[in-house]
Amino acid sequence: MRISSTFLSGIHIELQVELVFSLIIIAALCLFFIYAGKKVMAADPLEKPKGIVLVCETGVEMVYNYMKSIMPSQFEKSYYPYFAMLFVYLIVANLSGLIGFDAPTSNYSITLAMTLITFILIQYNAFKKKGGLTYIKELVWPPTNILSAISPLISLSMRLFGNILSGTILMGLVYQFTGWLSGMILPVNFLGPILAPVLHAYFDVFAGCIQTLVFVTLSSILIAIEAE
């Protein structure tokens, strides 16, 4: 889906709606983090955390402990902020379809952009570990190594994109089918709200959380392999 606009000069611009929703999600997360940060700074460290402070501390601890179990100890703190932010954004983006958004991760340009960051980190660590000459030599010879180096960029981005997009398409088909079936009785899609919640629980909630975990896990493992 695209939003088009034409200027007087004749320049035609098409803006993908998933990008708009992505910017809205990023802005909402920024506001939330600013608010949560102020709450955490104002909280008494001697008192038991509650409310948003408890949620933030629990989330930070969970993600940090998970990353600590995957990545080498000397890299866990360096890459934790990146993976923590990636985890939060992907969870919100994947679940945004529940509130009527077109999930940003159903657009390949967005999943490719996120995977490109991971890809650069993988190559950076490989270059740092092997040295410039060895890195280039192993990258170009044998030539199949080039495909091996590029494969994470393709596999990670396509896996996330394909799973989220397929769920979006299937839910659209379900609503069309229930609308057609309901139309035989009443001019209102009354079957959709009955069948959709169960399917949303799988295609949006379960699949969205699993794909977030898979993307973050594979990204961290690929970086850790090169970092060791």
Side-chain angles (χ1 to χ4, degrees), residues 205-218:
V205 180
F206 178 75
C209 293
I210 288 296
Q211 290 307 314
T212 298
L213 188 63
V214 169
F215 188 91
V216 172
T217 302
L218 291 179

Side-chain angles (χ1 to χ4, degrees), residues 55-72:
V55 172
C56 292
E57 289 188 1
T58 303
V60 167
E61 185 178 7
M62 288 177 59
V63 177
Y64 179 73
N65 288 338
Y66 182 71
M67 299 309 304
K68 187 177 180 180
S69 67
I70 298 175
M71 302 197 77

